[in-house]
Amino acid sequence: MSQFTYIENLGIKVANGSPSFGILLESPDEVKSFVYSDNGLYCAWIYSTCIKIFETKSNTEVSTLQTKSALAATFSPMGSYICVHERYQKPANNEPQIKNQKIYQTTTAKLLFEFSAKSLSQPQFTATESHFTRLVDSEIHIYDISKLNPDSPTATTTKFSKSVVSQYSLSQGQRPLLAVFTKQSAKAPGALKLFDFTSHSLLASKSFYKADSISFFWNFVGTSLLGLTKSDMDTTGKSYYGDTNLFLLSVSGVDQKVGLAPTEVSGGKEGAVHDVHWNPKKNEFIVCFGSMPSKTWIFDGFGRKVAEVVEGPRNSIRWSKDGRNILVGGFGNLSGELDIFEISVNGAGSSGGIKKVATVNAENSSFCEWDPYTDFFMTAIMYKRLKVDNGIKIWHKSGILVECIQVKELFEVGWKPDLDERSKITEVPPKWAGNSANGAASEVKVEKKVGAYRPPGARGKPATFSLRSADLDTPFESVKSTATTIPGMAEEEQLSKTALKNKKKREAKKAGDSDSPAANSPAPPPPAVITSNATEKEKKIKALNKKLKQIAEIKVRRDAGEKLELTQIQKMESESTVLQELEKLQLE
């Protein structure tokens, strides 16, 4: 079953996903952060003085690491080791470097290796956990874990010296690959190179300018790489946020820039690359790029455009773990709308390969991620983004909101990963299944037909206008005028010339209407006024009748296809309770 953890102002909590959403484990202790292993077997809670490691199936503690001011921690791919980064402290004069980065065995808490590191970059492991690497002064040091000795670590160290390294990334495939990025200098352009990890032989390379940093994205088998480069400044003056470019390298010899620029053939768009994601099951990737409204395209493993997904105010992409659904949203300074797309079994490039399922509103969210086990996804408003309205929302892939958790302050949230197999829970929980009757959910954006305005009376509905005060619940005629009067002066003398003229017109019109047949019909009875002497029972009956009227109005709106808030849905569900209370009061 799916599982997620979140840290709020009251402590840390571990909860089930759909359909129960029950709390499995909680602690009021002040936990700074948490991290799951990539295979979902372990979860580490980071405290100020220690790190507690839990086994996720039973939620039992397996080990405790005694640390000093731990800032971050990461697990190896199979969860056998955990690397802890403590706060760096500058040594005093003639004292050795303080070793603030340490590698432990997960279950035994045995210290295997420690070293000094000023930056927060963590060591990277191979998929089989046979070796780990770290960056030391533009060189990559490689360690054999089976021969690791804490007393003499240099004996098992080899150095990668094929290129000057600014950043690097190690793939997680069966054949480990090493991607190396070199920043441009005054004498040479920047470069992205792909090496075989074992033989250090060069497999592919690409040179370019305008690149100060890079983000690495590997495909699911670790044979192809996307490099998203970014420069601190845009020399063309088109952007305040620098320049971005996307490059594709693979072991098959592909080394090219992904075609996103506008041409007569491609129909691309100028602007930054906002987000990139590989399909978790196929060798294809999706890119959101361009100035707003941005474009979102899908490419195959050779960098050829397969399909156009959407064009709109979007800057974020999430691909579900089974590769069948895509979220394309607009967060940050955008409205927070999320488009949900479904990909057919024949692929995105086939006829009707991409179908839009729904659009939901997740405004102010700073977290969005698919549940690795099921067809649900989570959005969350975090305290670092917004100081109010913090909470978690869990949605079904059809756009139905199935769970809402409100907290005062939400600091961190995350799903438990799953690399083995997906759960069979894909249906909408019964409590919310009725919301999909019209193909819309509680917060799904529904497109309405726009036409000429017609008043309610012309649409066969009762008029909404009433000569009653909503605050006083009495006729307006009974409300006394607050205008100032002068005692002893006739009313006509107190009016201005314009007011007196308008009064005479009204009297003349009233005298003329008195001869019409409508004037001889009996006047409607005045609306009933509840006096202040009404009993407590009458007040309760009036309040319940008011609730029933509101519920009826909500049902009309639902049947008309309008979106409903979560509180409105809950009010509809309380109709039977209100009717029972009203019947009980009437029988007394």
Side-chain angles (χ1 to χ4, degrees), residues 22-64:
I23 300 297
L24 298 173
L25 181 66
E26 59 182 323
S27 172
D29 300 337
E30 185 176 349
V31 180
K32 295 167 59 177
S33 182
F34 69 89
V35 60
Y36 279 104
S37 61
D38 291 343
N39 56 7
L41 292 179
Y42 302 103
C43 183
W45 294 6
I46 303 175
Y47 294 81
S48 299
T49 57
C50 69
I51 295 178
K52 294 182 179 180
I53 301 175
F54 293 84
E55 197 271 328
T56 56
K57 287 186 178 180
S58 59
N59 289 303
T60 56
E61 184 178 339
V62 295
S63 62
T64 301

Side-chain angles (χ1 to χ4, degrees), residues 88-150:
Y88 176 78
Q89 295 180 358
K90 188 176 181 180
N93 295 333
N94 300 323
E95 289 189 3
Q97 289 279 348
I98 298 175
K99 297 179 178 180
N100 63 318
Q101 211 164 47
K102 304 175 182 180
I103 298 178
Y104 299 86
Q105 280 188 342
T106 300
T107 55
T108 63
K110 178 183 177 181
L111 178 63
L112 296 180
F113 186 50
E114 57 182 349
F115 47 88
S116 178
K118 295 182 181 179
S119 66
L120 200 58
S121 61
Q122 298 281 18
Q124 299 184 32
F125 290 78
T126 59
T128 59
E129 298 183 345
S130 60
H131 296 76
F132 76 88
T133 62
R134 69 188 188 102
L135 186 62
V136 182
D137 296 332
S138 301
E139 285 185 341
I140 300 175
H141 290 195
I142 304 173
Y143 301 85
D144 187 341
I145 295 180
S146 62
K147 300 177 181 179
L148 198 60
N149 184 357

